[in-house]
Amino acid sequence: MADAALPIDTELQPEETESKKGSSAFSRVFRYSAVRLVMLFFTVVVGIYLTILIANMGGYVDQIRQGEIRSRISMEIYMNTSPEMKQKSSEEKKLMVDERVALEEKRLGLDKPFIIRSFGFLKDALLLNLGHAEHMFSDSGSKTVRLILLERLPATLVMWGLANFILFFLALFMALILSRQYGSFWDKAIIALAPTGSAPGWFYGLFLIIIFASVLGVLPFGGMVDAPPPDTTIGYGLSLAKHLILPVTAIIISTVFLSAYNWRTFFLIYSSEDYVEMAKAKGLSEREIERRYVLRPTLPTIITTFALMLITLWTGAIILETTFNWPGLGRALYSAIGLFDTPVIVGSQVIYAYLLAITVFLLDFIYALVDPRVRVGERGRS
């Protein structure tokens, strides 16, 4: 009788199974990251190129620059009162103007079609070679775009950053309280005040300036510190704090009620879920239910809002900073738009585009860390 064939053990050992799972997860995350980075880079390229076209108004700014060059050179030549220049005829002077204009345009690259130059601008922008401004200067007298932006960054971080941090946590705290007191007087009051968020911060800033600076005279009209600046560190800090009150208050008033209303509605939706009712039936405390069953599911949304708030600090507040004469990035961008200073406009938006792309990329992985329902690179998972 032939020996019975032994069954072949096709089951993998636990170590091999774990190894294959780890390898599969790594390859999945790697593929997802590569595809995501390519898509984000393509989006950044398109956004930056559109910014270049808009900032140059399709090449119209180049025509303005050519006119300014010809006007400046013509004035230099025709207003020259030297004996040698007086002996030249009008035709000779016109020829000199044309020659010098052609040399200047060649030096600046204005002799090439704008569509060709735009791709050169795109390459420099993607490599963060922001170049030099056309009209603006930094406080140290430099025309380097990087220095112009970096010198104004601290002022924006102080004012816009402080206001947004206070606004974010204040609205979150108010929303948690309102979600516990649904239908109360304060809940109805916040709902009634929510439409005040339709007006921008500078709108409320104008009223604050009229009341506290013009009528009462207790706070300054604008600026970052007193003129001349205080010599001592404590005096400088107190002066800065005094100048921060009005712009920070304007930002908070314009958004806090609407933000609190939005978060309050969000928390109410999650607090009415079945698992929250089950937690209450188990006898868990209100704070524990709020922390584990309301805040935790909303954590991805909270993190997204906080991260996007951080990167928008780079753009500043164009009209608000101009209203309060605040020397930040928003006011620098406002000046650049008024002066048609394309390098400064493009440079500011290029850095913001990179910050936005990096933030969106990192958020995908942060979601997977804070929410066990999310797995990077997998579809169809809730």
Side-chain angles (χ1 to χ4, degrees), residues 23 95 98 117 124 170 191 221 255 258 298 326 361 368 382:
S23 176
L95 184 61
D98 293 337
R117 295 173 58 241
D124 291 338
L170 179 61
I191 294 175
F221 284 87
T255 316
L258 182 60
T298 60
W326 193 266
F361 178 74
S382 62

Side-chain angles (χ1 to χ4, degrees), residues 35-224:
V35 173
R36 189 68 166 156
L37 284 173
V38 171
M39 293 177 61
L40 287 173
F41 181 74
F42 177 76
T43 305
V44 169
V45 170
V46 173
I48 292 175
Y49 189 70
L50 290 176
T51 301
I52 292 171
L53 294 180
I54 294 172
N56 283 276
M57 291 190 286
Y60 181 70
V61 173
D62 289 347
Q63 298 179 17
I64 296 176
R65 292 179 65 193
Q66 289 173 336
E68 291 176 349
I69 291 170
R70 179 168 292 276
S71 176
R72 174 172 55 81
I73 293 176
S74 299
M75 186 174 295
E76 291 176 357
I77 291 178
Y78 283 100
M79 298 296 290
N80 193 335
T81 58
S82 64
E84 181 183 356
M85 192 60 67
K86 286 183 178 180
Q87 294 176 359
K88 295 184 179 295
S89 62
S90 298
E91 292 296 328
E92 291 175 330
K93 290 181 179 181
K94 185 177 182 299
L95 184 61
M96 288 180 64
V97 170
D98 293 337
E99 290 176 353
R100 289 183 59 180
V101 168
L103 288 173
E104 185 68 11
E105 289 179 352
K106 185 176 182 180
R107 184 182 70 84
L108 298 173
L110 295 174
D111 57 328
K112 300 176 183 177
F114 171 72
I115 192 65
I116 296 177
R117 295 173 58 241
S118 65
F119 288 104
F121 292 153
L122 177 63
K123 176 185 174 183
D124 291 338
L126 292 174
L127 296 175
L128 292 179
N129 181 18
L130 305 180
H132 295 80
E134 297 173 3
H135 304 286
M136 297 180 64
F137 293 89
S138 66
D139 295 336
S140 59
S142 174
K143 296 188 72 173
T144 305
V145 173
R146 185 181 68 259
L147 292 178
I148 293 174
L149 296 177
L150 290 179
E151 282 187 353
R152 287 157 175 77
L153 178 61
T156 293
L157 291 180
V158 170
M159 187 265 286
W160 197 237
L162 176 64
N164 276 276
F165 270 97
I166 295 175
L167 175 63
F168 179 79
F169 290 106
L170 179 61
L172 207 61
F173 180 73
M174 290 172 59
L176 284 172
I177 296 176
L178 294 176
S179 65
R180 302 188 204 115
Q181 303 174 6
Y182 176 71
S184 65
F185 168 79
W186 292 111
D187 185 41
K188 295 177 180 178
I190 295 298
I191 294 175
L193 291 172
T196 58
S198 60
W202 61 265
F203 176 80
Y204 296 103
L206 293 175
F207 288 98
L208 292 175
I209 290 174
I210 293 173
I211 296 172
F212 294 99
S214 180
V215 178
L216 300 178
V218 294
L219 292 173
F221 284 87
M224 189 170 176

Side-chain angles (χ1 to χ4, degrees), residues 10 32 34 68 102-103 106 141 217 229 238 240 245 259 268 306 308 343 380:
T10 58
Y32 174 81
E68 291 176 349
L103 288 173
K106 185 176 182 180
L238 292 175
L240 175 62
I245 293 175
S259 298
L268 282 175
F306 187 74
L308 295 179

